[in-house]
């Protein structure tokens, strides 16, 4: 049965691929984005699709639309972007969540919140399970995002308890893949762009801090599975790849895969930057029957090809 689905942040690298997958299932898509970090090129290949509609809109302003489901992906997700305008980041996370919950309440629609592993802060528990409450600095430079997302989770659960809104909450760990913004400041895109240009690869810290990297296709599949669960499943559910790599190992892998002669240089680690990050995905395995399938090297090859196409001036690659 076809559904009318709203995707906020729909022109981002995750939102645009989610749009494609849900269109392929026969649904109608209302894609909403203000192009703060998303780009028109990510969705231009969908513009002529009869079941795809785009609306330029900021989720911190109320939205009125008839929809059956809402995927709330709107919010800058990299430190460079969310620290550029911390006030707007907080508004997007908090007021945007309220507006999507209000819309879901009016329409009796299901609404999925794309939360984040940043709710765990610089974790004192490893790996991170959903029952862990986190270690977050509420007044640090990352708090606009970390606390904004934590507050959004609070709102989702309170709307569910008080107004019976049908909610789904997933906590997304580091994700990468084609259509990432080349200047988004995330470690994968940074390293690939620096390597392809033959520039020095910059690591902030000693490079021994760890991250877990989930390929875009795997992540979107998990989100769709979460939305399809029955009303008893609300989350939060960790979504990510439990494979754990040091930042130094990632840099060396990117240099190897690109054939670059780039050298690695080290700078001081930013304030509140987590030392360890790895999801416990036991819940996702049990509830969603899901786990990631794309190994890091394989996903990096596809992502490198995408960025190489951008640098060479190719346009078709943006639509894969």
């Amino acid at each position: 049965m076809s559904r009318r689905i709203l995707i906020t942040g729909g022109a981002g690298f995750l939102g645009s691929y989610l749009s494609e997958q849900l269109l392929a299932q026969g649904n109608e898509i209302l894609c909403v984005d203000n192009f703060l970090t998303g780009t028109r090129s990510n969705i231009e290949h969908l513009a002529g699709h009869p079941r795809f509609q785009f609306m330029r809109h900021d989720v911190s302003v109320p939205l009125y639309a008839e929809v059956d489901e809402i995927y709330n992906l709107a919010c800058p997700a990299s430190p460079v972007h969310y620290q550029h305008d911390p006030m707007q980041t907080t508004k997007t996370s908090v007021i945007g969540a309220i507006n999507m919950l209000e819309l879901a309440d009016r329409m009796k629609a299901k609404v999925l919140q794309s939360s984040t592993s940043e709710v765990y802060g610089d974790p004192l528990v490893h790996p991170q399970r959903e029952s862990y409450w986190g270690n977050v600095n509420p007044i640090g430079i990352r708090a606009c995002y970390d606390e904004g997302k934590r507050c959004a989770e609070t709102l989702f659960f309170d709307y569910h308890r008080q107004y019976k809104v049908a909610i789904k909450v997933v906590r997304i760990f580091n994700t990468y893949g084609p259509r990432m913004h080349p200047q988004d400041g995330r470690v994968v895109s940074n390293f690939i762009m620096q390597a392809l240009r033959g520039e020095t690869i910059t690591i902030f810290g000693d490079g021994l801090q760890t991250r877990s990297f989930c390929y875009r296709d795997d992540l979107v599949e998990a989100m769709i599975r979460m939305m399809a669960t029955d009303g008893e499943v609300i989350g939060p559910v960790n979504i990510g790849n439990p494979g754990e790599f040091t930042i130094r190992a990632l840099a060396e892998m990117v240099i190897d895969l690109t054939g670059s002669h780039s050298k690695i240089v080290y700078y001081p680690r930013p304030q509140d930057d987590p030392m360890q990050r790895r999801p416990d995905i036991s819940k996702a395995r049990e509830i969603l029957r899901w786990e990631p399938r794309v190994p890091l090297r394989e996903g990096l090859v596809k992502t490198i090809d995408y960025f190489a196409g951008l640098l060479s001036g190719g346009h078709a690659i943006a639509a894969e």
Side-chain angles (χ1 to χ4, degrees):
M1 180 178 173
S2 176
R3 295 154 294 165
R4 182 161 171 78
I5 301 174
L6 166 63
I7 303 174
T8 71
F13 95 99
L14 288 179
S16 61
Y17 186 69
L18 177 63
S19 294
E20 287 178 6
Q21 297 305 298
L22 292 173
L23 279 172
Q25 294 179 2
N27 300 296
E28 296 180 41
I29 302 300
L30 173 58
C31 171
V32 169
D33 207 296
N34 64 356
F35 293 136
L36 182 62
T37 56
T39 63
R40 193 176 296 276
S41 63
N42 283 343
I43 55 171
E44 61 187 0
H45 63 294
L46 301 175
H49 197 290
R51 287 183 279 105
F52 179 82
Q53 177 185 356
F54 173 74
M55 177 189 298
R56 187 162 187 169
H57 182 83
D58 189 322
V59 295
S60 63
V61 177
L63 176 64
Y64 300 93
E66 293 187 6
V67 295
D68 303 305
E69 295 177 354
I70 303 166
Y71 287 81
N72 187 34
L73 276 62
C75 191
S78 70
V80 168
H81 286 146
Y82 66 65
Q83 291 174 22
H84 173 71
D85 190 346
M87 300 299 291
Q88 186 59 38
T89 297
T90 303
K91 288 179 181 178
T92 300
S93 293
V94 178
I95 301 175
I98 292 172
N99 287 334
M100 291 306 106
L101 286 161
E102 290 286 340
L103 177 59
D105 189 29
R106 288 194 300 272
M107 292 292 105
K108 305 306 176 189
K110 288 196 289 187
V111 56
L112 181 144
Q113 168 68 2
S114 62
S115 191
T116 172
S117 60
E118 297 299 332
V119 300
Y120 300 121
D122 189 2
L124 304 178
V125 172
H126 191 75
Q128 293 79 59
R129 305 184 68 174
E130 293 87 349
S131 57
Y132 177 52
W133 291 355
N135 177 42
V136 176
N137 176 3
I139 59 172
I141 59 174
R142 301 168 67 101
C144 59
Y145 185 69
D146 300 1
E147 296 288 27
K149 288 288 192 175
R150 286 164 68 94
C151 183
E153 285 197 15
T154 300
L155 288 162
F156 265 69
F157 279 84
D158 283 339
Y159 266 77
H160 175 69
R161 284 185 286 256
Q162 187 167 347
Y163 302 119
K164 311 305 179 186
V165 173
I167 67 166
K168 310 286 180 183
V169 177
V170 293
R171 291 175 177 165
I172 297 174
F173 283 66
N174 291 61
T175 307
Y176 69 100
R179 300 188 194 148
M180 292 182 78
H181 196 291
Q183 284 85 43
D184 75 355
R186 282 185 264 203
V187 65
V188 171
S189 51
N190 275 1
F191 288 177
I192 292 175
M193 292 298 288
Q194 289 168 342
L196 289 174
R197 288 171 169 159
E199 301 168 351
T200 54
I201 290 183
T202 53
I203 290 180
F204 295 92
D206 59 11
L208 299 181
Q209 63 268 47
T210 65
R211 296 293 184 271
S212 300
F213 301 99
C214 187
Y215 188 62
R216 174 200 67 182
D217 298 30
D218 286 335
L219 190 285
V220 165
E221 178 191 346
M223 294 176 71
I224 293 173
R225 289 190 181 205
M226 182 66 175
M227 183 65 93
T229 55
D230 62 38
E232 299 300 313
V233 178
I234 60 176
V237 174
N238 286 339
I239 302 298
N241 194 318
E244 187 176 8
F245 296 85
T246 67
I247 297 301
R248 183 186 300 173
L250 174 68
E252 292 169 347
M253 195 179 299
V254 168
I255 290 171
D256 176 49
L257 291 174
T258 56
S260 175
H261 297 291
S262 295
K263 304 298 181 184
I264 298 174
V265 296
Y266 297 88
Y267 291 94
R269 188 163 67 102
Q271 178 187 337
D272 300 327
D273 184 53
M275 269 304 296
Q276 290 182 301
R277 187 59 60 72
R278 176 162 68 93
D280 181 320
I281 61 168
S282 300
K283 269 193 176 183
R285 289 186 174 119
E286 177 187 354
I287 296 170
L288 307 181
R289 299 291 188 265
W290 172 91
E291 60 182 297
R293 293 173 292 182
V294 180
L296 181 57
R297 289 185 72 90
E298 180 183 329
L300 284 176
V301 168
K302 295 177 180 180
T303 309
I304 288 166
D305 287 347
Y306 170 78
F307 282 121
L310 290 184
L311 287 174
S312 67
H315 298 290
I317 195 151
E320 290 184 89

